[in-house]
Amino acid sequence: LPAQEYETGVSRFIDSTLQQLGDNSTTDLHALWKTVLEERATPALALQRRIEAMLGYDPEEAPEKLMTLLTGLTTTHGESAIQELACLGGEKAGATITNAQQCLAHSDEHIKLPLKSVRKVTELLVGATPGYPWETGSEAASLARKDLGIDKGPLNTRKLADLLETREKLFESNQNIQRLPIGLGEVTSSGTAKIVLGKARKDSRRFMTARLIADGIYAGETGNWLPCTDAATVRQKFQRSFAQEFLCPYHDLIDWMDTTAPDEETMEAAAEHFEVSPLLVNTVMVNHGHKHRSELEAFK
C-alpha cells in the first residue's frame, strides 16, 4: 500500500469523524488535528516533525542540540539525505553523522557518478509504476550495466575503477581505516562524489561503492550527501538491490554455478569469481526463492 494513499485515508477518516462530532465540539481530537494541520502548512515545522519521528522521538521531545544539527544540515546536504540519516535513531544518529562528517572532510577519495547520465535509469525511477524498491533497484542495475557497456559476468575491480575514474587501490582491503557504521558521499560540481566507505574488506568496499553509485541516481545534485546505512528505508533497499545486481547479476550467477541448488563450496567459489562476499551470493539465492531465509540467518 503506497504511503501517500494510507496517509490520505487516515486524513479522510479523521475529517469524517470530526464532521460527525459537529462543528461546535471541542474534543481532544479537534485540538490535536488542528495542530497537525497547522504543522503540515508550515514547511519548516513539518520537516522538524518528520525528523523527530524518524529519530524515534515524540513531537518536541528530541534533544535540541541534535535537532539543530540535523535541520542545519538539510540546507547544505539535502533534506532527503538527512532524513535517511535520522533513521539511524536517537543519539546514535548525531554521533554517527558527526563522525562521518569528520572522516569525509579528511578523505581524498573520489568516484565519478556515471549514472547521472543514464537516462533510462532515471526514467525508471521517475515514471515507473510503484513497486518494491528491491525490484526497481535490480532493474535499474540491469539497465545501467547495459547502457554503460558492461559485459556479462563479473565486474572486476580494474573495470570498476576505470568506470568510476578512480584508483584500484580504493577497493583494496584496509584494516587501518577508521571503521564507520555507514558509507557517505558528497556530490561535487564536477559530477563526482567525495566518499568514505567505512569498510575494511575488499568485497565490502566494492559493494559500498556500488551503493553510492546507486544513490547518485537519487540525489546527484551538487552538495548533496549520499548516505548508505543499514536502515530499512526504500532508498536503502534500492541501493542494496542495485549493488547486488550490478556486481553479481542473478542470471550470470546461475549460469556460472550451473545450478539453483548450490552447496556451500560452490557459492564460495562463485563469490570469489564475482569478487563479492559469500553473504551476497547467499542473499541472492534466498531472494530468488532457491534457499529458505532461515538458512541466510544461520549463515550470518
Side-chain angles (χ1 to χ4, degrees), residues 3 9 66 75 111 113 118 178 182 190 220 230 257 261 264 267 273:
L66 178 58
T75 59
I111 61 170
L113 295 174
V118 180
Q178 182 171 355
I182 66 170
S190 60
D230 291 332
M257 294 192 301
E264 186 174 333
M267 288 192 291
H273 178 69

Side-chain angles (χ1 to χ4, degrees), residues 18 33 46 52 55 69 84 103 105 118 166 179 197 212 219-220 236 256 270 299:
L18 292 176
W33 192 236
E52 288 169 341
L55 286 167
L69 170 67
E84 288 291 312
C103 291
V118 180
T166 190
R179 303 295 295 277
L197 300 179
L212 287 166
Q236 301 304 314
W256 189 86
F299 180 84

Side-chain angles (χ1 to χ4, degrees), residues 34-300:
K34 179 181 178 182
T35 299
V36 170
L37 293 179
E38 289 173 351
E39 290 175 349
R40 284 181 174 179
T42 309
L45 194 52
L47 173 61
Q48 183 175 328
R49 292 291 175 263
R50 284 196 297 274
I51 292 177
E52 288 169 341
M54 290 172 176
L55 286 167
Y57 293 105
D58 287 334
E60 300 181 352
E61 292 192 4
E64 183 178 352
K65 183 177 180 181
L66 178 58
M67 289 302 299
T68 299
L69 170 67
L70 295 182
T71 54
L73 289 172
T74 60
T75 59
T76 52
H77 298 302
E79 182 178 313
S80 177
I82 303 309
Q83 290 185 51
E84 288 291 312
L85 291 169
C87 289
L88 293 168
E91 293 290 349
K92 178 183 177 182
T96 301
I97 291 171
T98 300
N99 194 8
Q101 194 172 16
Q102 292 173 352
C103 291
L104 193 62
H106 293 94
S107 173
D108 62 352
E109 300 292 357
H110 291 76
I111 61 170
K112 180 184 176 183
L113 295 174
L115 300 188
K116 288 185 67 175
S117 61
V118 180
R119 181 175 55 84
K120 289 182 180 179
V121 177
T122 304
E123 288 176 351
L124 173 67
L125 289 177
V126 174
T129 302
Y132 293 116
W134 51 88
E135 293 175 338
T136 308
S138 180
E139 186 177 351
S142 296
L143 285 171
R145 283 180 66 106
K146 181 178 180 180
D147 279 32
L148 295 172
I150 300 173
D151 297 332
K152 180 179 178 180
L155 176 56
N156 65 39
T157 297
R158 180 183 59 78
K159 290 180 180 178
L160 183 58
D162 290 345
L163 176 67
L164 303 181
E165 298 180 4
T166 190
R167 304 172 297 170
E168 288 186 53
K169 186 178 179 180
L170 171 67
F171 306 106
E172 292 177 2
S173 296
N174 185 350
Q175 300 299 325
N176 297 320
I177 65 169
Q178 182 171 355
R179 303 295 295 277
L180 293 169
I182 66 170
L184 188 64
E186 182 174 328
V187 183
T188 71
S189 58
S190 60
T192 64
K194 187 177 184 181
I195 63 171
V196 287
L197 300 179
K199 300 292 183 180
R201 288 165 48 104
K202 178 181 177 181
D203 51 24
S204 298
R205 292 173 69 80
R206 280 167 48 87
F207 189 74
M208 184 63 77
T209 303
R211 289 183 63 179
L212 287 166
I213 296 171
D215 210 53
I217 304 172
Y218 264 87
E221 301 300 324
T222 302
N224 280 359
W225 273 356
L226 309 175
C228 300
T229 75
D230 291 332
T233 64
V234 166
R235 183 164 167 175
Q236 301 304 314
K237 290 177 179 179
F238 172 85
Q239 287 179 20
R240 291 191 283 268
S241 64
F242 178 96
Q244 181 177 289
E245 183 69 14
F246 193 67
L247 297 176
C248 184
Y250 166 68
H251 293 293
D252 296 354
L253 173 64
I254 297 302
D255 286 347
W256 189 86
M257 294 192 301
D258 196 27
T259 179
T260 57
D263 56 24
E264 186 174 333
E265 184 178 349
T266 300
M267 288 192 291
E268 288 182 356
E272 184 176 350
H273 178 69
F274 283 89
E275 296 186 47
V276 297
S277 70
L279 176 60
L280 187 150
V281 176
N282 273 266
T283 302
V284 171
M285 300 306 289
V286 169
N287 289 345
H288 287 83
H290 302 308
K291 293 172 68 72
H292 194 273
R293 191 159 295 277
S294 61
E295 295 184 58
L296 180 60
E297 295 304 317
F299 180 84
K300 289 180 180 179

